[in-house]
Amino acid sequence: MNNLKLTGKKPGGARSVVEVGGVRIGEEFVVIAGPCSVETEEQTLRTAAAVRDAGAKMLRGGAFKPRTSPYAFQGLGLKGLKILDKAKKETGLPIVTEVVDTRDVSWVGEYADILQIGARNMQNFSLLREAGKSGKPILLKRGMYSTLEEWLNCAEYILAEGNDKVILCERGIRTFETYTRNTLDLSMVPAVHAESHLPILVDPSHGTGIRYMIGPMSLSAVAAGADGLEIEVHIDPSTAMSDKDQQLTPEAFKALMLRIAALREFMAERAMDDANANARGAPAAKDAATQASSSARSGALRDPFADAMD
Ligand code: PEP
Ligand code: MN
């Protein structure tokens, strides 16, 4: 891919790690969870405690909601940010929240540990530049009609302002299929790893729009090599003010986190077995065995299919 001066793959394939409040995205597997929208203090604090107890490393929640209709709930704004701040103080979880307007970047950044730029704003170039200037970690979601090249070029806008703390998030694209809200394009996980050094998360909530698909697609994303997940969780999804069909209950989230951990453990053991077998067959592969066992210990699982990449 041409012109990816700052986001393109590095020589030797080194990948970026974005450190946020002690969490190392790109190195450790990170699950960001929380409600679609911040609605009330009770809803947010209870959800935050539940996702933290289940193993989420960060709390998400929208205070500014980009909605299809101007009459739909638009988010609580500053009041929502203050609630997120309280949830952070109570749980210790860093906050991920969306910014939709260039004028809001600096003050929303005072509450957010990661500023999310949503699918609808992926190509809002002035917002990207402002996000770059802020120096804050940015979670850049894929636009629903965007190619990989367009997406990486949008990340390039942020890096070009001197901010290399960018995390990508695949959240599904519009296709002819209408059964699902979007078509979750998991092929972007290996594609991003092949073309860029930036970490990539997957959002199976917006990617499908359907609660029962969140589990299977989360596990598929792990298998594909994603650096983490962003999942919507609500204490009572049926009453949610936005996206009620794609939020998990805390109980379902907890069960999913256990399955994710089991899958990751299985993959780490396999990677270690493969590396050990290679080391026995060829002395030159010994390093790979050492690397696999140390990454299995540290929790990092990288390039399970590295052999297939040129
Ligand atoms: C969100 O994560 O709250 C959101 C609005 O997602 P997207 O921008 O992917 O639609
Ligand atoms: Mn949502």
Side-chain angles (χ1 to χ4, degrees):
M1 236 168 243
N2 292 327
N3 275 325
L4 296 177
K5 292 187 185 160
L6 302 168
T7 56
K9 199 167 173 154
K10 290 183 179 159
R15 294 209 198 142
S16 288
V17 174
V18 180
E19 216 248 88
V20 183
V23 182
R24 293 177 61 80
I25 303 170
E27 189 174 278
E28 52 186 305
F29 189 80
V30 174
V31 177
I32 301 170
C36 176
S37 300
V38 175
E39 298 165 5
T40 65
E41 186 170 302
E42 196 209 344
Q43 166 249 8
T44 306
L45 296 185
R46 281 179 56 199
T47 309
V51 299
R52 185 219 31 217
D53 292 349
K57 300 262 175 68
M58 297 195 184
L59 177 68
R60 65 146 285 140
F64 294 92
K65 298 305 300 176
R67 303 302 299 279
T68 303
S69 162
Y71 311 117
F73 176 58
Q74 303 286 308
L76 297 181
L78 177 59
K79 188 172 166 211
L81 295 175
K82 288 187 171 160
I83 293 173
L84 286 170
D85 199 44
K86 188 156 187 201
K88 178 180 171 176
K89 288 194 175 111
E90 284 199 2
T91 60
L93 294 176
I95 300 300
V96 183
T97 198
E98 181 162 352
V99 61
V100 295
D101 192 307
T102 324
R103 295 165 294 184
D104 299 338
V105 170
S106 66
W107 70 271
V108 174
E110 288 173 24
Y111 294 88
D113 295 284
I114 297 184
L115 287 171
Q116 178 168 306
I117 295 188
R120 293 156 192 81
N121 268 316
M122 185 200 83
Q123 278 187 318
N124 180 338
F125 299 112
S126 39
L127 185 59
L128 295 171
R129 284 193 202 278
E130 206 60 30
K133 286 190 194 122
S134 76
K136 297 289 293 186
I138 306 295
L139 183 64
L140 180 63
K141 299 191 94 176
R142 181 184 184 187
M144 59 188 89
Y145 301 103
S146 305
T147 64
L148 173 62
E149 191 162 5
E150 287 161 345
W151 188 16
L152 290 176
N153 270 290
C154 289
E156 195 76 24
Y157 269 84
I158 301 170
L159 274 84
E161 295 295 335
N163 181 359
D164 61 0
K165 291 180 240 141
V166 176
I167 306 137
L168 300 169
C169 181
E170 162 63 38
R171 48 78 72 208
I173 48 173
R174 281 267 165 94
T175 67
F176 56 83
E177 181 56 73
T178 54
Y179 184 74
T180 44
R181 180 177 181 186
N182 290 290
T183 297
L184 186 62
D185 183 6
L186 290 178
S187 67
M188 284 303 108
V189 174
V192 164
H193 287 326
E195 298 294 339
S196 175
H197 56 85
L198 298 175
I200 173 161
L201 310 185
V202 170
D203 171 353
S205 293
H206 294 89
T208 63
I210 303 175
R211 193 161 16 256
Y212 77 80
M213 292 188 178
I214 295 174
M217 298 318 280
S218 295
L219 295 169
S220 306
V222 172
D227 294 300
L229 297 163
E230 184 178 37
I231 300 176
E232 290 189 335
V233 179
H234 192 288
I235 43 164
D236 182 10
S238 65
T239 64
M241 293 172 83
S242 58
D243 289 352
K244 64 178 158 53
D245 297 328
Q246 60 180 47
Q247 306 203 56
L248 292 181
T249 60
E251 296 71 34
F253 178 68
K254 189 173 168 190
L256 174 59
M257 290 295 275
L258 292 173
R259 297 188 67 179
I260 290 171
L263 174 60
R264 297 196 67 248
E265 209 169 302
F266 170 79
M267 288 171 69
E269 277 165 19
R270 272 304 164 90
M272 222 185 313
D273 288 352
D274 286 354
N276 284 330
N278 282 342
R280 277 196 300 277
K286 262 211 166 114
D287 278 356
T290 323
Q291 257 176 33
S293 70
S294 79
S295 57
R297 277 195 306 276
S298 75
L301 265 180
R302 288 200 159 162
D303 283 344
F305 309 107
D307 288 355
M309 276 192 192
D310 287 328

